[in-house]
Amino acid sequence: DAKTTQPPSMDCAEGRAANLPCNHSTISGNEYVYWYRQIHSQGPQYIIHGLKNNETNEMASLIITEDRKSSTLILPHATLRDTAVYYCIVRIYNQGGKLIFGQGTELSVKP
Amino acid sequence: ETGVTQTPRHLVMGMTNKKSLKCEQHLGHNAMYWYKQSAKKPLELMFVYSLEERVENNSVPSRFSPECPNSSHLFLHLHTLQPEDSALYLCASSQDSRGRSSAKNIQYFGAGTRLSVL
């Protein structure tokens, strides 16, 4: 049970912002939201995580709604190399090793 | 380069063979993981090791046997596999699997071993 809901696929034009939504309406107060991506035939790559505040790093921004029931991963200037499956995962910070991957969103960045 | 190296990248084996997958991490982490990713399916956690002690075994068949001789190395020994075991096997490591810091639970993955069982 992945506890998150994501659209199965999205398209984005190269150079534009890619906004990937995730619904986690049953999230608990101590559960973090993590985002990973998996480029075809490679291992998943960590992108960003957050608890309740918005977060930004060199790869992306994470916007979490005030009620924490949903979040959006933003890739500000998508490139063709950002084409991948993006996974939104919620987990308790000290839960023993469990990353429950769902089906994710397959993002296609088109020229 | 994630700091987690898996060998071999590709493996073809018969159902009666014995083979081993190797994972090595150069990140100084204390926890290591094995995942299985079958075609068109999400990743499934198989085993978790923390400080070389197995802390999780997700009902994996005994034909998969993990070994963690030290915190930098993890093996998955395979014997008498079935064709349905064909998949991408991924290794990951994290600084800690049970720490109180969310950053210490971030997992870094290797590129995986693509296994085909004939």
Side-chain angles (χ1 to χ4, degrees):
Chain A
D1 184 67
K3 301 178 65 174
T4 62
T5 304
Q6 298 177 254
S9 63
M10 291 181 62
D11 290 340
C12 178
E14 188 178 18
R16 304 295 295 269
N19 298 297
L20 294 98
C22 180
N23 183 291
H24 32 79
S25 57
T26 60
I27 194 169
S28 301
N30 59 355
E31 289 188 310
Y32 283 73
V33 180
Y34 286 76
W35 282 83
Y36 284 74
R37 73 180 182 183
Q38 186 174 21
I39 296 171
H40 182 62
S41 294
Q42 297 183 23
Q45 176 190 23
Y46 165 79
I47 302 173
I48 199 167
H49 75 285
L51 183 62
K52 52 185 176 182
N53 296 323
N54 297 338
E55 303 287 344
T56 295
N57 63 21
E58 65 278 3
M59 290 183 69
S61 295
L62 174 60
I63 308 299
I64 302 175
T65 58
E66 193 168 339
D67 62 7
R68 301 205 329 116
K69 292 183 184 298
S70 66
S71 61
T72 301
L73 178 75
I74 301 173
L75 307 178
H77 305 287
T79 70
L80 299 178
R81 287 176 293 181
D82 292 321
T83 293
V85 178
Y86 287 76
Y87 298 100
C88 168
I89 301 161
V90 296
R91 59 171 298 193
I92 299 172
Y93 67 85
N94 62 348
Q95 187 177 32
K98 281 192 189 298
L99 284 181
I100 309 298
F101 285 82
Q103 296 286 0
T105 295
E106 186 165 7
L107 175 68
S108 296
V109 181
K110 300 182 184 300
Chain B
E1 178 57 53
T2 63
V4 180
T5 303
Q6 290 188 243
T7 54
R9 291 294 312 275
H10 301 274
L11 179 62
V12 179
M13 59 186 290
M15 289 190 284
T16 58
N17 292 158
K18 290 184 180 181
K19 296 287 185 183
S20 295
L21 309 184
K22 179 183 176 182
C23 177
E24 183 174 0
Q25 58 96 358
H26 308 278
L27 301 169
H29 289 168
N30 291 322
M32 297 188 77
Y33 312 78
W34 279 117
Y35 288 84
K36 174 184 177 182
Q37 187 174 31
S38 302
K40 305 295 185 185
K41 288 187 176 180
L43 277 78
E44 303 169 57
L45 179 65
M46 300 174 73
F47 302 104
V48 180
Y49 276 82
S50 179
L51 295 171
E52 301 143 48
E53 176 185 349
R54 190 188 312 178
V55 296
E56 185 143 352
N57 176 345
N58 277 352
S59 303
V60 179
S62 59
R63 58 186 183 269
F64 295 91
S65 175
E67 179 189 1
C68 189
N70 55 62
S71 59
S72 297
H73 293 85
L74 185 66
F75 295 90
L76 188 62
H77 303 300
L78 316 171
H79 63 97
T80 59
L81 294 191
Q82 305 298 311
E84 59 265 29
D85 296 321
S86 298
L88 180 67
Y89 288 85
L90 291 156
C91 172
S93 72
S94 67
Q95 192 169 350
D96 191 354
S97 71
R98 297 180 181 273
R100 296 187 63 82
S101 165
S102 62
K104 291 184 178 181
N105 293 146
I106 296 170
Q107 293 184 21
Y108 296 86
F109 286 79
T113 295
R114 175 73 61 186
L115 174 67
S116 297
V117 181
L118 304 179

